[in-house]
Amino acid sequence: MKTTFSMLGTWEPKRLKIADIAREAGVSQVTIYNYFGSKEALISESFKDFIQQGIHEFREEMRQQKSLKELIAYCIHKEKETYSHLPPAVIKEIVVDNQEMYQYIQQQYEAHIRPLMVQMVEEGQARGEITGKVSVRAVLLAIQIYMKSTGEMLDSQAAHEDSEAFVEELIHIFFYGLCGREPQ
């Protein structure tokens, strides 16, 4: 599965063959078919494993009692990592064009990701990192809008002279808007 996921960074899923995966992984094609049944199932299971690993890693980040800003920065950097490994067209083919995978991600979002995000926002409010003027629902919507724009933001970041400084600017805009911090 790790080999398959790695290969998806440079191969289109439609062009990827079991023979290529088996050769790269150092296993027989029969072994792959015995475990997964098809190339599509192998790709699907590899991507599901990636999703599960991401949820686990985010949960671990939250256990470390990081600030809201650190957690949002972590999410942005993870998105950057994902898009630098998997081209957007591959993600679209695996996630958007595959109804089963899309439903799986929606289930994972509702069961695991959304509750973690609610917890993150509530903890941020309790620590005074988020104003009491906004609801958890509004913060989650703002985060969703931001994350949906990740592809465009990462494209802009790649063209920026100092990409890390650019990410910091985006994080600043997310937290403080265009006018800086609101007076206390």
Side-chain angles (χ1 to χ4, degrees):
M1 286 178 15
K2 288 180 182 179
T3 299
T4 302
F5 192 78
S6 176
M7 292 178 79
L8 288 171
T10 56
W11 291 68
E12 292 178 38
K14 291 177 183 173
R15 297 195 189 280
L16 190 58
K17 307 268 188 270
I18 289 286
D20 301 319
I21 298 167
R23 184 174 41 258
E24 188 74 24
V27 299
S28 74
Q29 292 180 50
V30 173
T31 301
I32 293 173
Y33 282 112
N34 284 341
Y35 277 97
F36 300 100
S38 69
K39 175 188 78 170
E40 291 75 22
L42 172 58
I43 290 172
S44 179
E45 289 304 311
S46 299
F47 206 78
K48 286 177 182 178
D49 183 63
F50 171 72
I51 299 292
Q52 289 302 315
Q53 185 179 358
I55 292 169
H56 174 75
E57 288 173 5
F58 185 67
R59 191 173 280 126
E60 289 302 312
E61 289 292 312
M62 289 198 50
R63 282 192 184 122
Q64 294 176 24
Q65 300 295 308
K66 292 187 174 184
S67 71
L68 182 67
K69 184 177 178 183
E70 289 171 319
L71 290 170
I72 297 293
Y74 168 81
C75 292
I76 291 171
H77 287 290
K78 287 305 279 186
E79 287 283 319
K80 177 183 172 187
E81 231 176 70
T82 300
Y83 280 102
S84 69
H85 175 74
L86 293 176
V90 170
I91 294 171
K92 181 183 181 295
E93 185 175 334
I94 293 172
V95 178
V96 179
D97 296 344
N98 180 335
Q99 189 62 33
E100 180 185 328
M101 183 58 69
Y102 182 79
Q103 288 174 346
Y104 173 80
I105 290 173
Q106 290 302 319
Q107 290 168 345
Q108 295 306 303
Y109 177 80
E110 290 301 323
H112 302 287
I113 299 166
R114 189 173 195 292
L116 284 171
M117 292 178 73
V118 167
Q119 178 186 344
M120 175 184 73
V121 171
E122 288 173 345
E123 289 174 1
Q125 286 177 322
R127 289 189 300 261
E129 297 173 305
I130 300 174
T131 179
K133 294 179 181 180
V134 295
S135 66
V136 170
R137 186 175 178 187
V139 174
L140 291 179
L141 177 61
I143 291 171
Q144 271 187 331
I145 290 167
Y146 221 66
M147 297 315 266
K148 283 183 180 180
S149 301
T150 300
E152 292 85 11
M153 288 189 293
L154 294 174
D155 288 343
S156 295
Q157 177 194 5
H160 200 274
E161 291 174 14
D162 185 350
S163 63
E164 290 305 313
F166 187 69
V167 169
E168 287 301 316
E169 289 176 32
L170 294 175
I171 292 169
H172 179 86
I173 291 170
F174 177 81
F175 281 101
Y176 310 118
L178 298 175
C179 300
R181 264 205 149 135
E182 182 179 319
Q184 298 294 331

